[in-house]
């Protein structure tokens, strides 16, 4: 028995989901930016935060992307083991990206890594990037997280020795200092600790989807306070808020290894989710 959605409606829904992510930030992100503006005493930084908030308002009211870099399409899919769509989900997501690129429109960003030829529709080898996770149930939850290059290019991964766990905070600070204003702060920092080389990077990217108002543990709070003490501030022009939140995800790793990845997100922490299928 297939789930109750046609391929055509699925494509339409995913294209609309991409539109939502591009033009409207989640409430927790907007609220974090408003809080940063309200407490900022540096007038240059305050004016930049006010401009960001105005930009968010204009994008939502006029249904246009909030940033000229509309990113590459990253998807996180939680696929219920009893969800049976009756069509190729990955191909349908790809078609939805093509549709969204044409309709919204989105800047075509997907290029061949070597010859730099642009596909023109934000698809290509390995793009859109879809992370599949099997879960119990009859539903499919899809989250889209468009990722721009300014913040992605400042992201890093380092393979530490197992005895160097105490160096992680300084690694984060070093990364933020080197990034400066390039990733358009105030930032959200997703940190992945453990797993393997590639697992740590996936954890870091997943951490960016955590609500910004979710309680932070002791290490997350400690890192956030240290990052904001740097004084880099909004757009790198100084101020008290360099990062809005720090979220860390961990996984067990090899006894001889300690991978640590930092995925930096700009102020526009864009993502949106949709659920298909039957409730339990």
């Amino acid at each position: 028995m297939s789930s109750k959605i046609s391929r055509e409606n699925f494509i339409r829904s995913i294209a609309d989901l991409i539109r939502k992510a591009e033009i409207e930030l989640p409430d927790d992100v907007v609220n974090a930016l408003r809080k940063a503006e309200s407490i900022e005493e540096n007038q240059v930084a305050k004016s930049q935060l006010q401009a960001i908030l105005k930009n968010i308002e204009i994008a939502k009211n006029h249904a246009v992307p909030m940033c000229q870099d509309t990113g590459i399409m990253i998807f996180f899919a939680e696929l219920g083991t009893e969800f049976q769509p009756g069509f190729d989900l990955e191909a349908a997501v790809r078609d939805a990206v093509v549709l969204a690129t044409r309709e919204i429109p989105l800047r075509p960003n997907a290029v061949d890594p070597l010859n730099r030829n642009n596909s023109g529709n934000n698809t290509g080898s390995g793009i859109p990037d879809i992370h599949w996770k099997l879960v119990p149930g009859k539903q499919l939850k899809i989250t889209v997280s468009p990722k721009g290059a300014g913040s992605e290019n400042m992201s890093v991964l380092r393979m530490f020795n197992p005895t160097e766990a105490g160096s992680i905070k300084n690694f984060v600070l070093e990364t933020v200092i080197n990034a400066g204003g390039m990733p358009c702060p105030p930032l959200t920092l997703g940190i992945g600790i453990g797993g393997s080389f590639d697992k740590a990077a996936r954890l870091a990217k997943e951490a960016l989807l955590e609500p910004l108002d979710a309680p932070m543990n002791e290490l997350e709070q400690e890192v956030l306070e240290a990052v904001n003490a740097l004084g880099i501030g909004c757009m790198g022009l100084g101020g008290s808020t360099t990062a809005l939140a720090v979220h860390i995800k961990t996984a067990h790793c090899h006894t001889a290894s300690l991978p640590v990845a930092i995925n930096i997100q700009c102020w526009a922490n864009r993502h949106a989710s949709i659920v298909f299928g039957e409730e339990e």
Side-chain angles (χ1 to χ4, degrees), residues 25-175:
L25 283 180
D27 289 343
D28 61 292
V29 180
V30 177
N31 291 337
L33 288 164
R34 285 174 177 159
K35 180 180 178 181
E37 189 277 331
S38 69
I39 64 175
E40 184 58 67
E41 295 181 356
N42 180 306
Q43 290 306 305
V44 174
K46 195 175 188 71
S47 68
Q48 292 295 308
L49 286 162
Q50 289 169 347
I52 287 172
L53 290 166
K54 183 65 175 177
N55 181 86
I56 293 168
E57 180 184 350
I58 291 171
K60 183 176 180 179
N61 290 342
H62 293 271
V64 294
M66 67 189 73
C67 179
Q68 74 276 10
D69 184 354
T70 51
I72 57 172
M73 295 302 116
I74 312 293
F75 291 90
F76 296 89
E78 296 180 16
L79 177 61
T81 53
E82 298 180 65
F83 184 87
Q84 299 179 35
F87 55 86
D88 185 330
L89 286 170
E90 196 151 318
V93 170
R94 188 183 182 94
D95 287 348
V97 170
V98 173
L99 178 62
T101 299
R102 182 175 68 248
E103 285 188 347
I104 296 175
L106 304 178
R107 189 174 76 182
N109 287 324
V111 302
D112 182 280
L114 298 179
N115 63 34
R116 312 309 289 180
N117 289 337
N118 196 313
S119 67
N121 61 16
N122 282 307
T123 70
S125 178
I127 293 294
D129 186 10
I130 309 173
H131 301 267
W132 296 98
K133 180 181 179 181
L134 288 176
V135 297
K138 302 178 181 179
Q139 294 185 326
L140 167 64
K141 179 181 179 181
I142 293 185
T143 299
V144 62
S145 179
K147 196 67 163 68
S151 58
E152 192 80 342
N153 288 351
M154 298 295 107
S155 301
V156 293
L157 184 147
R158 183 179 296 177
M159 302 301 290
F160 283 87
N161 290 323
T163 58
E164 295 180 305
S167 301
I168 291 175
K169 185 175 82 169
N170 285 338
F171 174 46
V172 178
L173 295 178
E174 171 191 307
T175 299

Side-chain angles (χ1 to χ4, degrees), residues 74 80 85 150 162 210 255:
I74 312 293
E210 292 294 310
T255 183

Side-chain angles (χ1 to χ4, degrees), residues 187-266:
L187 312 169
T188 301
L189 299 177
I191 302 173
I193 303 175
S196 59
F197 180 88
D198 53 316
K199 177 71 170 180
R202 293 198 304 274
L203 289 170
K205 194 172 289 292
E206 288 174 8
L208 294 175
L209 303 178
E210 292 294 310
L212 299 197
D213 52 6
M216 287 182 283
N217 63 35
E218 185 177 347
L219 179 58
E220 291 168 332
Q221 189 64 47
E222 182 182 339
V223 172
L224 178 63
E225 291 174 1
V227 166
N228 285 333
L230 296 172
I232 294 170
C234 186
M235 297 299 172
L237 298 173
S240 58
T241 305
T242 300
L244 300 171
V246 172
H247 289 299
I248 298 173
K249 284 184 173 289
T250 64
H252 278 53
C253 58
H254 193 286
T255 183
S257 180
L258 178 57
V260 179
I262 304 170
N263 200 203
I264 295 178
Q265 180 62 284
C266 66

